[in-house]
Amino acid sequence: MTLTRGARITGAVLCAVLALIAAGWIVRDLRALGGPAELWEYWAGYMDSRPKGVPATSQDGAVLLVVHVLAAVAALRSSVAASVLVATGVVTLVVRLPGIWIIGASWMDGSYADELRTRAMIGTFVALAAALALIITGAAGRRPSDETGGQRPARPGRGASVLAFLVLGATGAVYLAWEIRQAFTLPSSVYPDWYTGGERIRVALTDAPPGWSSVSVALLCLVAAFSALVQAVHTRPLGLIAGGFVLSSGALGVARTVHHDMLDNFDGMGTELQLNMLTMFFSVLAGAVTLMALARGGVEQVPGGNQGPGGWGQGWGPGATPGQGAGPGYGPGYAPPAGPGPGYGYPPVPGQAPGYGYPQGGPPAAAPGTPPAGPPGYGPPPPSSPPPGW
């Protein structure tokens, strides 16, 4: 399945709208805080950060900006544009959804001007509507590749799939483990605000609560890991988005760790703090490995054949590429049995064209009372070829 031209253009326009919304809030924060260095310090959570203004974004907004820009390009060019649009829409929907109750909450009174909160609410509803439209466009705009003449969707290669499954699965499990730990460490009066925001756990105007964000990324990693296990077409967009969120979270955590010289006193810290720092470094490694593994081009989906690169996975029938399989130019794979003619059946007889059927002169005489045999040249079908790899 591929995406029609109209759906590609629609998806690219929707992604551009989402990118403009995310970019507008980042530009606002850059002006309010005085520059990118101050915004970076706030995003990283430096304890000595003293921003000049009140930021309205987090690093999730920057990741979404990159996702929306790349999705707009992929919508016009990629063979997996449908999966890209659906994945982008789902992630945007999940990240922007908390803004519905956070922006208008009473505990946000006094933190931001009413005009800014109104703009944030309008932007949130526009982003949610665009995200839903992306999902509908990606799902309804698909057509068989033969009808549109476009490229067939490409699946990730076997090696990339295995690597993504291991890394993303481990990352999702680690993130969920930390969330389970929060249930035992946070006071009961604070724990709900960890996922919904509140007086005790304040968040930026367009940001999601920390627990909500962490669980969302963990589930995204686990879904992408399962998709990689079965080499699904949507593995690459889901995995790349998950890798971007994991890498950004880990990079900011490592920057905070280095800025406060926490590594110098690593041995003297408690076990939980040590594990927390190790998780930050692991996130950087996991995010980078995921991006490098899935950023490479996938293997084109071929009807009727395995999706693996080369070998017998390239398909069957006329026009098959070199490898194991039937078709002209059998290549380095196994070839048809050597013989004097291109057909199977009885040995050829001088003066008779090769093919299927009985030798010239007709079939053997039938027993009395049996119906006459069909015309010469028709006989039993040829034996089936051995399965690949035998």
Side-chain angles (χ1 to χ4, degrees):
M1 303 292 284
T2 186
L3 207 59
T4 62
R5 178 176 177 81
R8 288 178 181 271
I9 295 175
T10 303
V13 171
L14 292 172
C15 290
V17 171
L18 290 170
L20 288 175
I21 294 175
W25 284 109
I26 294 177
V27 171
R28 181 266 169 194
D29 278 358
L30 290 174
R31 293 177 177 177
L33 272 66
E38 289 78 8
L39 185 58
W40 170 268
E41 291 176 358
Y42 170 77
W43 284 353
Y46 290 178
M47 289 183 290
D48 55 355
S49 175
R50 299 293 183 268
K52 299 178 181 179
V54 182
T57 63
S58 68
Q59 74 273 11
D60 288 348
V63 176
L64 282 180
L65 173 60
V66 176
V67 170
H68 293 151
V69 172
L70 295 180
V73 177
L76 298 174
R77 304 178 56 182
S78 176
S79 63
V80 293
S83 299
V84 170
L85 295 184
V86 173
T88 303
V90 170
V91 172
T92 304
L93 196 66
V94 171
V95 175
R96 294 303 188 194
L97 188 61
I100 294 178
W101 63 80
I102 288 178
I103 297 173
S106 59
W107 50 268
M108 292 288 284
D109 295 340
S111 299
Y112 299 92
D114 291 341
E115 180 185 358
L116 193 65
R117 293 174 66 183
T118 302
R119 288 167 49 192
M121 183 64 73
I122 295 174
T124 297
F125 280 111
V126 172
L128 293 176
L132 286 174
L134 277 179
I135 298 173
I136 296 173
T137 301
R142 298 182 302 167
R143 295 293 184 274
S145 303
D146 296 337
E147 294 182 8
T148 60
Q151 288 182 317
R152 296 185 178 92
R155 301 173 185 265
R158 184 182 299 273
S161 297
V162 172
L163 187 59
F165 166 71
L166 295 175
V167 174
L168 290 174
T171 304
V174 169
Y175 279 29
L176 284 183
W178 277 112
E179 290 307 311
I180 294 174
R181 175 63 178 166
Q182 295 290 358
F184 298 95
T185 57
L186 290 177
S188 58
S189 59
V190 178
Y191 187 71
D193 293 350
W194 179 254
Y195 294 99
T196 61
E199 287 283 355
R200 301 169 182 83
I201 305 292
R202 290 183 173 269
V203 296
L205 186 62
T206 62
D207 191 15
W212 179 283
S213 180
S214 180
V215 170
S216 299
V217 174
L219 294 179
L220 180 62
C221 289
L222 293 178
V223 172
F226 177 77
S227 302
L229 181 64
V230 297
Q231 288 184 274
V233 172
H234 57 267
T235 298
R236 292 180 62 210
L238 272 182
L240 289 173
I241 294 174
F245 278 101
V246 171
L247 179 60
S248 67
S249 175
L252 292 173
V254 170
R256 181 173 61 251
T257 300
V258 174
H259 177 77
H260 293 294
D261 299 325
M262 299 175 69
L263 293 177
D264 296 340
N265 193 30
F266 183 82
D267 294 337
M269 293 183 176
T271 303
E272 188 164 347
L273 287 176
Q274 291 176 341
L275 291 176
N276 187 275
M277 284 190 288
L278 291 177
T279 301
M280 296 298 103
F281 284 95
F282 171 75
S283 297
V284 173
L285 179 62
V289 170
T290 301
L291 294 179
M292 288 187 294
L294 297 179
R296 301 179 57 188
V299 181
E300 184 176 341
Q301 183 179 0
V302 181
N306 187 280
Q307 304 303 329
W312 65 273
Q314 294 295 337
W316 300 79
T321 53
Q324 296 178 358
Y330 295 96
Y334 71 83
Y344 299 102
Y346 293 92
V349 178
Q352 176 180 338
Y356 302 111
Y358 297 99
Q360 188 172 3
T370 58
Y378 292 87
S384 59
S385 303
W390 283 45

